[in-house]
Every structure is written in C-alpha cells, then in structure tokens.
C-alpha cells in the first residue's frame, strides 16, 4: 500500500490528463495541480466517510478479480481472433462461457460481500 499508491495515482493522473486534453494542448502546471487535488479528494473521500473500508475492498476484489481472471482474457482472445479473421466456433463458445462464468462469479462475490 505504501509504495503502490503513488504509482497507481501517477497512472490515474496521467490517464485523466490525457483524456481531458484529448485533441488540445496538454494541461499546464496549474491545471495538473487542480486535477491532482481533485483526484486525491475523490479517492480519499470513501476512506473518510466509510467506517469499514474492508467491505469496499471485498466488493471491488470480487468484481475486478472475476474480470481479470475470466472476462478480460476471453475479451482479449476474441479481439485477437477477430483481428486475424479467424472463425472458430469452439473457441468462440469457450470465450462466451468464460465471460458468463466471470459475470456469475462476480455477481455471486458481490452478493456474498454485501
């Protein structure tokens, strides 16, 4: 947590700045400070308001864990297969099954943690 947060926050800030300045000049120093302050406030607010942050971590873990394990690999495989123009029904069926399993397991994890 101590060393991970600055790295994650840097990535969040850079991506948010890229989205905000899409098609325009990059953000200047004052705009980056305002963006950093706003993002820090938005990410710190739940820790200030909520009494048990473990519930938030459990919910996020169940959702993002099932996404990383089941849904994302199936989506990447499908995207690569579509780019190559390959038609493989068995593989496409497996991708759909993995995606559905990920959704069901994520919802089950959400239900158990709430």
């Amino acid at each position: 947590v101590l060393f991970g947060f600055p790295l994650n926050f840097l990535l969040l800030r850079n991506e948010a700045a890229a989205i905000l300045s899409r098609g325009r000049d990059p953000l200047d120093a004052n705009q980056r400070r305002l963006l950093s302050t706003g993002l820090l406030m938005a990410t710190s607010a739940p820790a200030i308001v909520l009494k048990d942050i473990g519930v938030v971590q459990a919910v996020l873990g169940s959702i993002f864990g099932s996404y990383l394990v089941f849904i994302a690999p199936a989506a990447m495989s499908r995207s690569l297969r579509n780019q190559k123009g390959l038609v493989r029904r068995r593989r496409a069926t497996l991708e759909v099954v993995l995606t559905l399993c990920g959704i069901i397991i994520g919802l089950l994890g959400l239900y158990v943690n709430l």
Side-chain angles (χ1 to χ4, degrees):
V1 172
L2 183 63
F3 297 108
F5 181 76
L7 294 173
N8 292 333
F9 186 77
L10 178 68
L11 179 64
L12 173 67
R13 188 190 67 189
N14 289 344
E15 292 300 318
I19 290 170
L20 290 174
S21 66
R22 181 173 289 171
R24 294 180 285 164
D25 293 335
L27 300 178
D28 63 12
N30 287 333
Q31 291 172 329
R32 287 184 77 80
R33 282 189 204 106
L34 285 173
L35 177 63
S36 296
T37 303
L39 289 173
L40 274 173
M41 288 172 46
T43 56
S44 299
I48 294 169
V49 173
L50 298 174
K51 293 180 182 178
D52 186 11
I53 199 80
V55 174
V56 174
Q57 287 183 323
V59 168
L60 291 176
S62 67
I63 292 171
F64 292 122
S66 64
Y67 173 77
L68 284 174
V69 171
F70 294 103
I71 300 171
M76 288 186 282
S77 173
R78 185 175 190 93
S79 175
L80 288 172
R81 191 173 43 79
N82 288 341
Q83 285 177 1
K84 294 179 181 178
L86 300 174
V87 178
R88 295 185 176 151
R89 296 204 185 282
R90 187 172 173 201
R91 188 166 188 146
T93 304
L94 180 62
E95 292 161 355
V96 170
V97 169
L98 280 175
T99 302
L100 290 175
C101 284
I103 291 170
I104 291 168
I105 291 172
L107 291 174
L108 182 63
L110 185 65
Y111 174 75
V112 167
N113 289 311
L114 292 178

